[in-house]
């Protein structure tokens, strides 16, 4: 592989007729076999018997790229290393680098420290933390949800929101 193929690349939607054929094939393939496609995928060349089987994760990438291009969106493929610096982890999580350092110090994110100050995080650990954080955020939204009568005054609704927030805060204090 050349160094260029490992760099970030952005692909713009082109050849909508070709994309439509690929998209229709993928849709028909999945519809005929149910939600999950068959576990065998082939990349076929121009010559007879010129094919190679591709893994399911490559198929999922292809499907996502085709769907995005079909929708008229550009697609960026940005290869990642398996280890990240604290700044790369911060960028991935959408937080500051000091926040990542704090998460490491609190034991919420595992990291290796090969030098005095340099810290490396594993990509799968950062992705797992991001997924866990999102689940916690959704849970917090669900926990603070309450049914409101549209005819209630804004003052009554505001008071109910204060009570729900206080209950959630008390629950967090008791568990953390």
């Amino acid at each position: 592989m050349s160094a260029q193929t490992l760099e970030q690349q952005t692909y713009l939607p082109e050849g909508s007729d070709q994309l439509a054929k690929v998209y229709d094939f993928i849709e028909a393939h999945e519809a005929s076999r149910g939600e999950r496609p068959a576990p065998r995928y082939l990349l076929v060349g121009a010559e007879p018997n010129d094919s190679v089987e591709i893994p399911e994760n490559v198929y999922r990438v292809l499907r996502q790229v085709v769907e995005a291009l079909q929708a008229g969106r550009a697609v960026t493929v940005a290869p990642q290393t398996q280890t990240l610096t604290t700044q790369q982890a911060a960028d991935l999580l959408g937080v500051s680098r000091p926040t990542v350092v704090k998460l490491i110090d609190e034991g919420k994110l595992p990291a290796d420290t090969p030098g005095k100050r340099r810290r490396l995080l594993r990509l799968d650990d950062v992705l797992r933390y991001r997924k866990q954080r999102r689940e916690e955020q959704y849970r917090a939204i669900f926990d603070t949800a309450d049914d409101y009568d549209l005819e209630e005054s804004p003052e009554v609704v505001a008071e109910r929101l204060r009570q729900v927030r206080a209950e959630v805060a008390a629950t967090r204090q008791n568990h953390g």
Side-chain angles (χ1 to χ4, degrees), residues 24-140:
D24 290 345
F25 173 82
I26 291 171
E27 285 290 305
H29 179 73
E30 288 186 356
S32 70
R33 289 172 176 76
E35 187 85 15
R36 186 165 186 239
R40 186 163 185 229
Y41 308 98
L42 298 173
L43 186 59
V44 179
E47 301 297 319
N49 299 320
D50 184 14
S51 65
V52 63
E53 188 166 343
I54 60 174
E56 185 176 350
N57 63 339
V58 174
Y59 171 82
R60 288 194 312 265
V61 169
L62 176 62
R63 179 173 172 70
Q64 185 177 7
V65 167
V66 169
E67 284 179 348
L69 292 171
Q70 179 72 14
R73 300 181 74 187
V75 174
T76 299
V77 176
Q80 298 286 325
T81 61
Q82 293 294 315
T83 56
L84 305 174
T85 64
T86 52
Q87 184 59 58
Q88 290 169 322
D91 293 342
L92 185 62
L93 295 172
V95 299
S96 68
R97 192 195 64 73
T99 298
V100 170
V101 172
K102 180 180 173 190
L103 291 169
I104 293 168
D105 292 343
E106 293 173 348
K108 294 180 179 177
L109 260 177
D112 294 326
T113 310
K116 285 184 178 181
R117 299 175 74 173
R118 187 169 175 236
R119 298 180 183 181
L120 296 175
L121 297 95
R122 290 184 30 204
L123 177 61
D124 59 341
D125 290 335
V126 175
L127 293 175
R128 189 175 13 266
Y129 175 79
R130 182 175 71 175
K131 181 180 178 187
Q132 174 189 347
R133 189 179 72 171
R134 283 185 180 159
E135 289 171 359
E136 289 171 359
Q137 290 170 337
Y138 291 140
R139 196 172 320 115

Side-chain angles (χ1 to χ4, degrees), residues 148-153:
Y148 297 100
D149 185 350
L150 294 177
E151 307 215 357
E152 289 180 321
S153 71

Side-chain angles (χ1 to χ4, degrees), residues 146 156-170:
D146 198 4
V156 171
V157 171
E159 179 56 32
R160 289 179 65 192
L161 279 173
R162 277 191 286 278
Q163 290 173 353
V164 168
R165 287 186 190 129
E167 290 172 13
V168 169

